[in-house]
Amino acid sequence: AEKYTLEDFTMGELTFSIIKPDAVANNKIGDILKMISDSGLKIKATKMIHMSKTQAEGFYAVHKERPFFGELVEFMISGPCVVSVLEGDNAIKRYRDLMGATNPADAVEGTIRKAFGAGIEANACHGSDGPDTAKVEVSYFFSNLELVN
Ligand code: UDP
């Protein structure tokens, strides 16, 4: 039998998104998913999860030597998140642009972080920063079966 890979079912690029616990607690899931949809990115898969400490540490493993790592992990497990896979041409960069700067104080008007971010840590959203990270992050939270639709 033919062996298919995820790429065979993918139109354009995939990126991974988290609506972080601050934005979920502030009831902004709908607003943020609407901004994503209005930007033309397709929501290919989405679900609500509440990460364990081990899962959050694994997700942010690249930051484990950074001074903010411990606090960031505690923040990410402080409540549920909405994780999504977004699809579109140039989706990684388009979603980074839609999120805005890491620090909401530096984010421009019209971005998710400008609208809903409270500070450098509680900044409402996460988006993959490149093709390799996107692949790792998508498969950290989603099975291939959840992405074929
Ligand atoms: N972060 C933080 N303190 C900092 C820098 C970053 O708490 O000084 C958090 C923030 O939530 C950020 C995440 O760590 O979104 C990852 O940092 P990165 O530099 O990768 O920013 P991003 O790619 O999310 O814009």
Side-chain angles (χ1 to χ4, degrees), residues 20 60 63 66 68 72 96 102 113 120-121 123 126:
K20 292 184 178 179
Y60 277 122
H63 292 310
R66 310 273 287 274
F68 58 81
L72 176 60
R96 297 283 298 182
T102 306
R113 284 166 167 170
I120 183 118
E121 178 179 86
N123 60 3
H126 165 88

